[in-house]
Amino acid sequence: MSEHVIAGALAPRPILKRGGLIVAAVFVVLAVAALAGARYGLLLAVGLGFGLALEGLRFGFAGPWRAMILRREPSGLWAQLLAIGIVTVFALPLIANHGGELNGAQAPIGFAMIAGAFVFGVAMQVVLGCGSGTLVNAGSGNPVSLVALPFFAIGSFAGAYHLFWWTGLGALPIMNFEGWSGVLITLGLLFSVAMVAWKFATPQKRVLPRRLVIAAVVIAALALANLLISGQPWGVVYGLGLWVAKGAVAAGVDLSGSAFWAAPATAERVTSSVLTDYTSLTDIGIILGAFFVASWRVGGLSAKLPSLPARAWVGTIVAGFLLGYSSRLAFGCNVGAFFSGISTGSLHGWVWFGAAFVGSIYGIKLRPILGLEARS
Amino acid sequence: MTRRFTAGIAVLAVAGLIGWDLKASPPNPYAAPPILAIGSGLSTAGGFCGALPN
């Protein structure tokens, strides 16, 4: 008993620890604003908000798709559709009225795009973490995501390096829903998907918990703030590849052989600070926000690390790389293509959703084979 | 070993990335754009995963 008393006396009191976390969060935002500019500090705050909301309210993408496929639980998927719908109502009219200042996540549908989305769906179920989910999980101490993340970044860099070769295989022109008619069409499609999920759902599980409604509203508000502050939708993958490109250039690697990385605008970003890159800031914010939530929770970081077989770690590394590579070919991950693509009217977001969902079915089957969970 | 260890690595990696980058590519706050893109009159110039470079 005396050991417990001593341990309790040495452990930081929750109120002190939590006060320290709040001070740390405010400090990093103000520091970035002072070092790089107010817009960048504000965007880091938005990223922190994403991390806090995703981890704190348990809002995700890979997990809810898995729940829908395996257990016919539609609540997480419905929350995603609700958040996308809220953003759509505001984003499409704003983009129509502020063309140039605000841009949507508009990308072409093509062979590589569809294949990339399918592979992303497989890989995100293998590591049980999508674009945002891998960042959240790494920040909250999930060792699988922590190992996958650097390979995700390397894959993103490599996919961008080869992107023009892949798009040369064939792609349609960019197709978008625009303005208020686009809002109505998108909401109609979102409602249709929600109804399909309702039809396939287990009857007892046809409920949307209040927590997920709140999460959807908060995530939508943050996504809109991201759009208004940066002029572009919420994205994840670009920033990860940029970090590797900066490292490669610092190591003396010549990127002039890549049409993507040698393009003037991209080359300029490689030499600029990561604190002035929008997706880098929100990515950093998501990791730190998730860390703050896990630290805030009593016992949030006390779970023991799992013991996994070697093939699970090899599978994690390969899946991490594929997450990055495929999401570049697919013009985004679950955030940049699915969430932001659909909510800003891009048809490629819908195609991404279909291909990645089919890929998820195979990824769920692959996960136990790779030793990442007990075989059922 | 607990998640405290792996979460700590994640935060240290982020801190290391920012620290290294600050030294290699220091930002200039005086060249920063207006706080909001909307109403700024400026075209969007950020990198995005759904966009090909011009």
Side-chain angles (χ1 to χ4, degrees), chain A residues 63-79 194-212:
Chain A
W65 287 21
R66 178 182 166 90
M68 183 66 213
I69 293 164
L70 279 182
R71 301 187 297 274
R72 304 289 173 98
E73 287 178 16
S75 57
L77 178 61
W78 281 343
M195 284 297 99
V196 170
W198 186 87
K199 181 172 173 52
F200 282 99
T202 305
Q204 298 82 359
K205 292 176 179 170
R206 288 173 179 157
V207 288
L208 183 57
R210 193 175 164 199
R211 167 183 63 85
L212 285 176

Side-chain angles (χ1 to χ4, degrees), chain A residues 94-167:
Chain A
L94 280 168
I95 291 169
N97 291 321
H98 295 272
E101 289 177 351
L102 307 180
N103 281 336
Q106 293 152 2
I109 297 164
F111 295 118
M113 184 250 123
I114 295 169
F118 174 84
V119 172
F120 188 91
V122 174
M124 83 173 188
Q125 292 300 339
V126 168
V127 297
L128 207 50
C130 48
S132 54
T134 301
L135 299 175
V136 167
N137 294 343
S140 60
N142 180 320
V144 171
S145 290
L146 185 66
V147 170
L149 183 55
F151 295 95
F152 193 153
I154 293 168
S156 172
F157 165 75
Y161 195 100
H162 302 136
L163 184 56
F164 282 97
W165 184 87
W166 286 103
T167 55

